[in-house]
Every structure is written in structure tokens, then in C-alpha cells.
Amino acid sequence: MTGVLRSEWTKIRSVRSTVWTLLVAVVLMVGFGLLIAASTANLGERSALTDSTMISLSGSAFASLAMATLGVLAVGGEYRTGMIRTTLLAVPGRLRMLAAKTAVVAAVAFSVSLAASFASFFAGQAVLGDKAARLGDPGVLRAVVGAALLITATGVFGLALGALIRHIPGAIVAVIGLVFVLPQMTNLLPGEWGDTLQRYFTTNAGNQITYTRVAEGQLAPWTGFAVYCAWIAVTLAAAAVLLRRRDA
Amino acid sequence: MIDARELTKRYGSTVAVDGLSFEVRGGHVTGFLGPNGAGKSTTMRMMLGLDHPTEGSVLIDGTPYGQLKHPLRKVGALLDAKAVHGGRTARDHLLCLAQSNGIPASRVTEVLAVTGLTEVARRRVGGFSLGMSQRLGIAAALLGDPEILLFDEPVNGLDPEGILWIRTLMRNLAAEGRTVFVSSHLMSEMAQTADHLIVIGKGRLIADTSTAEFISRSSQGYVRVRSPRLPDLARLLDGATGDGTAGGRAGDGTAGDRAAGVTLHGDHLRVTGMTAAAVGEAAAGAGLALHELAEVAPSLEAAYMELTRESTEYAGAGEGAERGRTREDGEYEDGEYMEVTS
């Protein structure tokens, strides 16, 4: 297994798209955090500032999309180029290959997004001046690390969808739909079941970990993140079953 | 040794490979031959665990490919030279394959040198020519120093220099005692590399025999003769081949059950069942002048065409079948092989 992990690490570090998607993720994360923090600071007393940690982590959603792209490319790139057949000749244990790829993408995504998350927190708080939160305040550290976890999980979601759909544009559309568009649309659903679906739907649940306080009517931070991980686990399991069954 | 048993692959109602059984042994080059669409690539993908057989199995020294611990150290394969990530350098491509099979990085340097890619090792493979990609694919196949090598249409699209290089390489690998299995739809290519042939058509086994036996068994040479008095000569030879006084067969007497005969082809006759000497004697005896008298050896390409004509996808489809015959005539005309590229 270590050999397969090293192989996947070599693969991910040796293509330019990795550097670009990671760079875009960091720029979106820190840039958005700074932008929102600066405009909040400009509003001064008029701003209805509630959660200054959340403000500095505003870029999480966009950074998540960039990281999901990394995940999609890690596996979709192999299908686009035909490299997948060469890969499976070297590692015929398909689940082993998928597990190694997932582990490497998750490790890369987490280390970069953790750094980006802390950077945007400190940069944002510096801009917010006297309204700044501190790392020791209740829920703040959990939110900052949580943002990195959310971004990492979305990266793995991208990988799972890439393995399932085996087509880069299709997988990216699926990612945007599942983590960006559909979660917003669930707000429009009527009735009790609509509220429940809204609460449990992918990033509606997952985002809770980036807030210092529990929003009204939403899941608790870790519960929400666990629900988001369940969505990803189901997608990954479906991808694994099909990967084993389909011809490469 | 590769052992394929009752290998079958169906896609819906289409049968790509149909109950194929064969063995591939070490120490020589085994050609895997068949027209386009005969099921060669599907068979090779099943041998390598990429496609799942509908029925049957393939064992590599008694083990299915998917259960080999470090498959690259046992089997090296080149299926599609362009099946690489274009954004990766040649060295990194080989390195990631080596790492997955516990092969030291120094071996990457070695195979790059063997395939003449050392100079371009740090270049991205997306910019490689077909010939360079083919070399990279072969470098990947050689990475684990495997006993068994599989090549799918390795010379397709290569220049003569590249073809010669691959031919020599395959011969050398077999001479080292390795099992070399190479597919092609070009009979002429196989004639120059393979010692043994496995011929398939429409997914079924047509022949499993040595190359020499394959030619002699399935084709026959003839004598080409031209004369200003062609009709008289035809009548004379017709009699000679008919009454058994022909005095020996054309070729080397292995034509077997072929009927002897004389046929008119434009400005010349084709005589089977007689040697050139016998034709000359007969003509001289009758006082007929000859303008040309030549023995045409049996061609492997013709033998192959004959065998696979029944099984090509377009067989009997009028124009296609007609074209097949014309092409074959062309080869007889030249008295040697003609590259059939498609």
C-alpha cells in the first residue's frame, strides 16, 4: 500500500493542474476573507456584525469548489487521457488504487486548506480591528479548522464524483450542482420535510462547522459535518462498486 | 506462460470474443493476428484484467492478472502508447508506475536509456511524437524486467526506423527466453517477427500454428507465364495439368488438396499444379514462344487473406469483399508482400 500511496503522490505532484487548483483555492480563501472583512470594517458601526470568524472564512465555499476541481482532475484526468488503463495495469486492485488516490488527495487538500484557513482568519481579524475575534474565543478554533475540513471533504467529493462519472466536465457540473446550486434551492422547498431536506442537504449541513455559533434551525457543527461526510461516503462507495464492476 | 481458456466477451447481443482458448509459451515471439475488429484488443484487455470476461479466464503462470502482487514485475504491456497523462514528464510517468510496484527509481533511469529517451526524460509527454510515445510505452513495459510481454499493434503508425527497432527488440526479448505476445492486423509484419501464430477472426480461433506451417498449409504458389499465343498455351497447359502428366507441383509440393489448373489473368496465365520447368518444357514441346516464365512463391499475406476472408466483418458485403480480392491480386502481381494499411 505504501508503494501505491507514493505512486499517487508522484502523480498528483507532477501535473501542473495541481499547483493551479491549489493556488486558486488559497487565493479565493484568503482573498474573499479579506474582501468581506474590509467591507465590514468600512461599514463601521452600521454593520450588523455577528460572527467575525465567519466573515474571515467567507471564502470557504469558493475554495471548496477549487479543491473539488482538484479531486475531479485527480481521477477524471486519468480517464480523459487513458492513463487509467496504465494505472490499473500497475495496480489491478482497483479499490486499493481508489483508496490511495483518496488518501493522497485528502492529505494534500487538508494541509493546503488548513494553512489557507489560518491565513485568512488572521488576515481577516487584522482588518476587522477592534471587532476581531481571537483564536481562544469559544468555537473559533473549531471553525477555523472546520473550514479546512469542509474544503478537504469537498475535494474528496469531487474525486468521488469524478470516479463515478469518469468525465471531467460532467463531474464538475455535478459538483457545482451538489455543493453550490442545489443546497440554495432547498431553501425554497415548502413544509416540514422541505426544512429537513434543507438542513441535511450536503453543504447546508457541512457549512455548520465553519460557524462559531449554531444557526437557528440548523444542525450542530460536528453533526452537520458528519452528515456531509455521509453524502461523500455514499458517493465514494457507489464509485468503488462501479469501478470494480466496469471495464476500464 | 499465458493460458486463455474459453474466453468470451459479449456486449449486449454482439459477441466480440467467442470461446477463445490458447496458450502462449516462452522463448519465442507469438503473433496474435486477425483483421481489424476481430477481437484482438478486447482479448488482450481481458488478459490484463482491464475488461471482465463474460465467460472463461486467463491465467498468467497459473494466476489471474488481477491477483499478481507486483504485476509489472511479471507482465509488461503496451496497449495504447497515448494512454498517458500529457502533462507529466516521461520520468515522472515511469516513476509513478515504478513506485506502485516497488521497483527502484534507478530502474527508471535504465529503461529511459534503453529506449533512447534519456534526453527527453524531463519533457512533458503531451508533446511527444507517436514514435517517442511508443518508446515510452515500451519503457513502461520493460520497467519491471518482466518475463512476459504483451504488445498491441506496436508498429502502427511508426516510421521504418521505429518498426525495425521494435522488431529487433521483440526478437531480442524472446531470445532471452521471455514470452512475447504481439498483436497485429499486418500479416507481413508478423511474417518478419513471429515464430508462432494465433489467428482469430470474429472472435474465434482460426489457427494456432507455427508461422512456417501456417504459410505452407493455407496457401499455394503458382507459375506466371506470358506468351504471344496465350489461348494456345492455355489449351496445352489445361490438358497437361488435367491428365496428371504435369510433372510436379508448383511451390514446394505442400499445396495439398489444391486443384491444379490454368487461369487467365489479363495478359498472362497462372498455372498451379506444375513447376515452371514443366511449363517451359511443355511450351517448348509444342513450339510456343514464352515471353515470361516465373514461379511465384506463396505469400503469407495471401494465406492470411484467404483464411480470414470468411471472418472479416465486411466479408460478403459486395464492394468490401471485392476490394479484398483485388488487393490480393496486387500482391501476386508484384510477387511479394504489399503493406496493407488501413
Side-chain angles (χ1 to χ4, degrees), chain A residues 211-242:
Chain A
Y211 307 146
T212 52
R213 275 159 294 193
V214 180
E216 201 184 327
Q218 298 297 330
L219 297 170
W222 287 107
T223 315
F225 186 66
V227 168
Y228 186 44
C229 287
W231 280 84
I232 296 162
V234 168
T235 312
L236 201 54
V241 168
L242 287 178

Side-chain angles (χ1 to χ4, degrees), chain A residues 2-4 6-17 73 77-78 80-94 96 243-248, chain B residues 9 11 45 48-53 65-72 77-80 82-89 92-93 95-97 99-102 124 140:
Chain A
T2 38
V4 184
R6 283 175 63 204
S7 167
E8 289 298 334
W9 164 243
T10 301
K11 278 189 199 169
I12 204 161
R13 68 158 179 77
S14 60
V15 291
R16 276 173 296 191
S17 60
L73 291 176
E78 294 218 9
R80 180 176 56 79
T81 56
M83 177 69 192
I84 188 70
R85 287 191 297 278
T86 309
T87 294
L88 291 179
L89 286 184
V91 188
R94 299 185 181 188
R96 220 152 57 96
L243 181 66
R244 273 190 67 131
R245 198 176 295 166
R246 291 195 278 215
D247 288 338
Chain B
K9 182 71 179 178
Y11 298 101
R45 283 201 305 272
L48 295 164
L50 293 176
D51 286 8
H52 306 293
Y65 187 88
Q67 285 169 29
L68 295 172
K69 187 156 183 284
H70 292 300
L72 296 188
L78 169 65
L79 292 187
D80 173 7
K82 286 286 178 187
V84 293
H85 195 302
R88 211 166 268 136
T89 66
D92 284 335
H93 172 71
L95 183 63
C96 75
L97 295 176
Q99 287 170 330
S100 66
N101 276 251
R124 297 185 190 277

Side-chain angles (χ1 to χ4, degrees), chain B residues 72-334:
Chain B
L72 296 188
R73 297 200 215 159
K74 185 94 184 166
V75 184
L78 169 65
L79 292 187
D80 173 7
K82 286 286 178 187
V84 293
H85 195 302
R88 211 166 268 136
T89 66
R91 166 171 282 281
D92 284 335
H93 172 71
L94 294 172
L95 183 63
C96 75
L97 295 176
Q99 287 170 330
S100 66
N101 276 251
I103 298 164
S106 58
R107 178 68 187 157
V108 171
T109 313
E110 276 174 41
V111 293
L112 281 166
V114 168
T115 51
L117 291 173
T118 308
E119 305 251 300
V120 294
R122 308 238 171 238
R123 268 174 52 191
R124 297 185 190 277
V125 299
F128 277 19
S129 67
L130 181 63
M132 283 155 79
S133 299
Q134 210 83 3
R135 279 165 187 268
L136 181 64
I138 285 174
L142 296 176
L143 202 54
D145 196 17
E147 303 154 38
I148 300 172
L149 288 125
L150 277 76
F151 300 105
D152 191 12
E153 303 271 2
V155 302
N156 253 13
L158 289 189
D159 56 12
E161 206 183 325
I163 292 174
L164 186 66
W165 182 74
I166 287 197
R167 232 180 246 163
T168 313
L169 178 83
M170 288 192 295
R171 287 222 154 277
N172 290 344
L173 290 168
E176 289 165 19
R178 297 177 213 257
T179 306
V180 180
F181 187 66
V182 53
S183 82
S184 178
H185 65 274
L186 297 180
M187 186 69 226
S188 52
E189 180 52 40
M190 287 297 92
Q192 301 188 55
T193 33
D195 313 294
H196 195 88
L197 291 177
I198 290 168
V199 187
I200 65 166
K202 276 188 179 166
R204 291 210 190 98
L205 189 70
I206 293 180
D208 183 349
T209 168
S210 79
T211 311
E213 219 181 290
F214 177 77
I215 314 170
S216 62
R217 217 197 271 162
S218 43
S219 192
Q220 178 183 34
Y222 63 92
V223 175
R224 181 171 57 202
V225 56
R226 284 199 301 152
S227 165
R229 292 170 60 190
L230 220 48
D232 295 336
L233 184 64
R235 226 169 293 123
L236 173 76
L237 295 175
D238 227 3
T241 55
D243 61 13
T245 59
R249 293 178 179 285
D252 55 355
T254 47
D257 47 33
R258 293 291 160 146
V262 180
T263 47
L264 181 70
H265 286 265
D267 66 340
H268 69 271
L269 295 177
R270 283 182 189 180
V271 187
T272 50
M274 285 177 86
T275 60
V279 172
E281 296 288 343
L288 292 171
L290 295 184
H291 286 180
E292 187 187 346
L293 179 61
E295 246 178 66
V296 180
S299 99
L300 204 45
E301 196 80 52
Y304 170 57
M305 283 297 191
E306 220 165 276
L307 250 182
T308 56
R309 183 177 298 140
E310 293 292 300
S311 64
T312 39
E313 290 284 351
Y314 54 76
E319 200 205 344
E322 200 53 48
R323 233 190 297 129
R325 192 164 314 129
T326 315
R327 206 190 274 156
E328 184 193 352
D329 284 354
E331 284 142 28
Y332 276 117
E333 226 80 78
D334 300 340

